[in-house]
PDB file of all heavy atoms in Angstrom:
ATOM      1  N   ALA A  72     137.256  74.796  54.281  1.00  0.00           N
ATOM      2  CA  ALA A  72     138.345  75.739  54.532  1.00  0.00           C
ATOM      3  C   ALA A  72     138.315  76.873  53.508  1.00  0.00           C
ATOM      4  O   ALA A  72     138.501  78.044  53.866  1.00  0.00           O
ATOM      5  CB  ALA A  72     139.684  75.017  54.490  1.00  0.00           C
ATOM      6  N   GLU A  73     138.058  76.545  52.263  1.00  0.00           N
ATOM      7  CA  GLU A  73     137.990  77.565  51.214  1.00  0.00           C
ATOM      8  C   GLU A  73     136.778  78.480  51.391  1.00  0.00           C
ATOM      9  O   GLU A  73     136.892  79.689  51.271  1.00  0.00           O
ATOM     10  CB  GLU A  73     137.933  76.894  49.830  1.00  0.00           C
ATOM     11  CG  GLU A  73     139.246  76.317  49.374  1.00  0.00           C
ATOM     12  CD  GLU A  73     140.265  77.384  49.025  1.00  0.00           C
ATOM     13  OE1 GLU A  73     139.912  78.353  48.320  1.00  0.00           O
ATOM     14  OE2 GLU A  73     141.415  77.243  49.473  1.00  0.00           O
ATOM     15  N   MET A  74     135.615  77.889  51.676  1.00  0.00           N
ATOM     16  CA  MET A  74     134.390  78.693  51.827  1.00  0.00           C
ATOM     17  C   MET A  74     134.499  79.670  53.000  1.00  0.00           C
ATOM     18  O   MET A  74     133.968  80.772  52.933  1.00  0.00           O
ATOM     19  CB  MET A  74     133.167  77.794  52.044  1.00  0.00           C
ATOM     20  CG  MET A  74     132.727  77.085  50.787  1.00  0.00           C
ATOM     21  SD  MET A  74     131.232  76.070  50.912  1.00  0.00           S
ATOM     22  CE  MET A  74     130.932  75.835  52.611  1.00  0.00           C
ATOM     23  N   ASN A  75     135.181  79.266  54.054  1.00  0.00           N
ATOM     24  CA  ASN A  75     135.314  80.124  55.229  1.00  0.00           C
ATOM     25  C   ASN A  75     136.548  81.021  55.172  1.00  0.00           C
ATOM     26  O   ASN A  75     136.810  81.768  56.110  1.00  0.00           O
ATOM     27  CB  ASN A  75     135.347  79.265  56.498  1.00  0.00           C
ATOM     28  CG  ASN A  75     134.000  78.649  56.765  1.00  0.00           C
ATOM     29  OD1 ASN A  75     133.019  79.346  56.942  1.00  0.00           O
ATOM     30  ND2 ASN A  75     133.944  77.324  56.770  1.00  0.00           N
ATOM     31  N   GLY A  76     137.293  80.942  54.088  1.00  0.00           N
ATOM     32  CA  GLY A  76     138.466  81.792  53.913  1.00  0.00           C
ATOM     33  C   GLY A  76     139.566  81.537  54.928  1.00  0.00           C
ATOM     34  O   GLY A  76     140.268  82.464  55.324  1.00  0.00           O
ATOM     35  N   LEU A  77     139.712  80.286  55.349  1.00  0.00           N
ATOM     36  CA  LEU A  77     140.719  79.933  56.344  1.00  0.00           C
ATOM     37  C   LEU A  77     142.064  79.660  55.679  1.00  0.00           C
ATOM     38  O   LEU A  77     142.114  79.039  54.620  1.00  0.00           O
ATOM     39  CB  LEU A  77     140.293  78.682  57.107  1.00  0.00           C
ATOM     40  CG  LEU A  77     138.998  78.795  57.892  1.00  0.00           C
ATOM     41  CD1 LEU A  77     138.580  77.433  58.401  1.00  0.00           C
ATOM     42  CD2 LEU A  77     139.172  79.758  59.035  1.00  0.00           C
ATOM     43  N   PRO A  78     143.150  80.121  56.296  1.00  0.00           N
ATOM     44  CA  PRO A  78     144.460  79.761  55.748  1.00  0.00           C
ATOM     45  C   PRO A  78     144.728  78.288  56.022  1.00  0.00           C
ATOM     46  O   PRO A  78     144.476  77.790  57.116  1.00  0.00           O
ATOM     47  CB  PRO A  78     145.428  80.645  56.541  1.00  0.00           C
ATOM     48  CG  PRO A  78     144.707  80.982  57.791  1.00  0.00           C
ATOM     49  CD  PRO A  78     143.251  80.974  57.466  1.00  0.00           C
ATOM     50  N   HIS A  79     145.190  77.581  55.010  1.00  0.00           N
ATOM     51  CA  HIS A  79     145.441  76.145  55.161  1.00  0.00           C
ATOM     52  C   HIS A  79     146.587  75.727  54.267  1.00  0.00           C
ATOM     53  O   HIS A  79     146.998  76.476  53.385  1.00  0.00           O
ATOM     54  CB  HIS A  79     144.183  75.331  54.822  1.00  0.00           C
ATOM     55  CG  HIS A  79     143.672  75.566  53.441  1.00  0.00           C
ATOM     56  ND1 HIS A  79     144.228  74.985  52.330  1.00  0.00           N
ATOM     57  CD2 HIS A  79     142.667  76.357  52.984  1.00  0.00           C
ATOM     58  CE1 HIS A  79     143.582  75.371  51.243  1.00  0.00           C
ATOM     59  NE2 HIS A  79     142.629  76.214  51.620  1.00  0.00           N
ATOM     60  N   ASN A  80     147.102  74.534  54.518  1.00  0.00           N
ATOM     61  CA  ASN A  80     148.166  73.997  53.667  1.00  0.00           C
ATOM     62  C   ASN A  80     147.687  72.743  52.948  1.00  0.00           C
ATOM     63  O   ASN A  80     148.450  71.827  52.720  1.00  0.00           O
ATOM     64  CB  ASN A  80     149.438  73.738  54.476  1.00  0.00           C
ATOM     65  CG  ASN A  80     149.208  72.789  55.625  1.00  0.00           C
ATOM     66  OD1 ASN A  80     148.081  72.379  55.880  1.00  0.00           O
ATOM     67  ND2 ASN A  80     150.262  72.429  56.327  1.00  0.00           N
ATOM     68  N   PHE A  81     146.407  72.717  52.603  1.00  0.00           N
ATOM     69  CA  PHE A  81     145.852  71.605  51.834  1.00  0.00           C
ATOM     70  C   PHE A  81     146.345  71.696  50.399  1.00  0.00           C
ATOM     71  O   PHE A  81     146.815  72.733  49.947  1.00  0.00           O
ATOM     72  CB  PHE A  81     144.321  71.640  51.859  1.00  0.00           C
ATOM     73  CG  PHE A  81     143.723  71.421  53.230  1.00  0.00           C
ATOM     74  CD1 PHE A  81     142.474  71.924  53.520  1.00  0.00           C
ATOM     75  CD2 PHE A  81     144.378  70.705  54.205  1.00  0.00           C
ATOM     76  CE1 PHE A  81     141.904  71.722  54.762  1.00  0.00           C
ATOM     77  CE2 PHE A  81     143.822  70.494  55.449  1.00  0.00           C
ATOM     78  CZ  PHE A  81     142.569  71.007  55.729  1.00  0.00           C
TER      79      PHE A  81
END
Side-chain angles (χ1 to χ4, degrees):
E73 286 290 314
M74 286 183 345
N75 290 300
L77 299 170
H79 58 79
N80 58 355
F81 295 155

